[in-house]
Amino acid sequence: MFYWIYWTFWVYLTFMMEKQNPYRLKLSAIVLIIIIFSNYHFFIGSMEIYSSGLLLLIFSYLFLGQEKLGALLYLFIGALIVSIAYVTFHLFEIFDPVWIIFKKEWMMGIVIGYLAILLQKNLKGRLLIVICGTMQGEFLYAFILSKYDFPYPIGAFAYLDACSLIAALLSAWSILENSGAFFQNHFHFFEKAKQKSS
């Protein structure tokens, strides 16, 4: 799922997005770097960390660093809420797996995506708190499991699948949100053209 969604994002950013968009080149390069480094991992002590997950966290911190102090504080609180939700979901999955009624990636994608929609108004903010929050949650979850001697790879393909699914759901929601304004402007233009012609 990760490769399909990220390649779709890369194709859209590289070939379909407006060339004047200031984020176009940065985002397409970031998506390509994440795809390239997805197989590489390393160890810090007993913790196995995948490069793509760590790079996602670093890139999102760089974008966060460009925000003003008030917005940064709000994004940080939002990321903290997402982290707690992410870890709680995984712990419930271990201790009480009965409540997972369908595929866990989809359940987590819907829950975290809905949480991001409630916490942030624009797509950029939503993606930032989701990436920061889920990746920080990965570190916290791995730390909790290490207390019980359970190995857990941080930022592995299971995480990348969940993260890419959340990003796709948020992008789809953003398109739905903006489609209302697009159709309103589009039909308003046609109505004006009809009035002029009559």
Side-chain angles (χ1 to χ4, degrees):
M1 188 184 312
F2 157 70
Y3 284 120
W4 281 104
I5 292 172
Y6 269 64
W7 275 120
T8 305
F9 281 153
W10 185 79
V11 167
Y12 171 75
L13 291 165
T14 308
F15 301 110
M16 291 183 245
M17 194 179 229
E18 295 171 4
K19 290 194 169 33
Q20 292 81 21
N21 193 310
Y23 293 111
R24 179 178 164 267
L25 188 61
K26 287 179 191 174
L27 289 176
S28 60
I30 287 168
V31 169
L32 197 57
I33 288 167
I34 299 303
I35 291 169
I36 290 167
F37 283 95
S38 59
N39 276 327
Y40 296 99
H41 57 98
F42 56 93
F43 286 87
I44 295 177
S46 60
M47 285 190 175
E48 183 183 5
I49 303 171
Y50 276 75
S51 302
S52 283
L54 189 61
L55 284 170
L56 273 171
L57 186 63
I58 291 166
F59 287 135
S60 59
Y61 281 159
L62 289 173
F63 277 106
L64 280 174
Q66 298 169 0
E67 298 291 330
K68 292 177 183 174
L69 187 61
L72 181 64
L73 187 64
Y74 186 71
L75 284 164
F76 176 74
I77 292 167
L80 188 64
I81 292 167
V82 171
S83 296
I84 293 165
Y86 185 81
V87 174
T88 305
F89 185 94
H90 277 295
L91 291 175
F92 265 110
E93 181 195 353
I94 290 174
F95 295 118
D96 193 15
V98 175
W99 66 278
I100 296 179
I101 49 177
F102 55 93
K103 211 167 178 186
K104 70 171 188 174
E105 288 86 5
W106 281 95
M107 274 189 76
M108 189 172 15
I110 292 165
V111 169
I112 302 253
Y114 183 65
L115 192 59
I117 289 164
L118 291 177
L119 291 169
Q120 282 293 318
K121 290 183 179 177
N122 60 355
L123 182 61
K124 181 187 172 187
R126 289 168 185 167
L127 289 174
L128 282 175
I129 66 167
V130 161
I131 292 168
C132 287
T134 53
M135 199 57 205
Q136 288 167 179
E138 281 276 292
F139 278 101
L140 181 58
Y141 183 58
F143 176 73
I144 292 167
L145 289 186
S146 70
K147 298 288 182 187
Y148 301 98
D149 291 327
F150 289 134
Y152 181 76
I154 299 167
F157 281 107
Y159 165 76
L160 292 173
D161 280 347
C163 190
S164 59
L165 178 62
I166 296 167
L169 290 172
L170 288 175
S171 300
W173 182 260
S174 182
I175 289 166
L176 280 173
E177 276 182 332
N178 296 323
S179 64
F182 170 77
F183 284 120
Q184 188 177 6
N185 291 336
H186 191 66
F187 286 119
H188 189 63
F189 174 76
F190 276 122
E191 281 173 18
K192 280 186 176 179
K194 280 180 185 175
Q195 286 171 0
K196 283 180 183 177
S197 63
S198 59

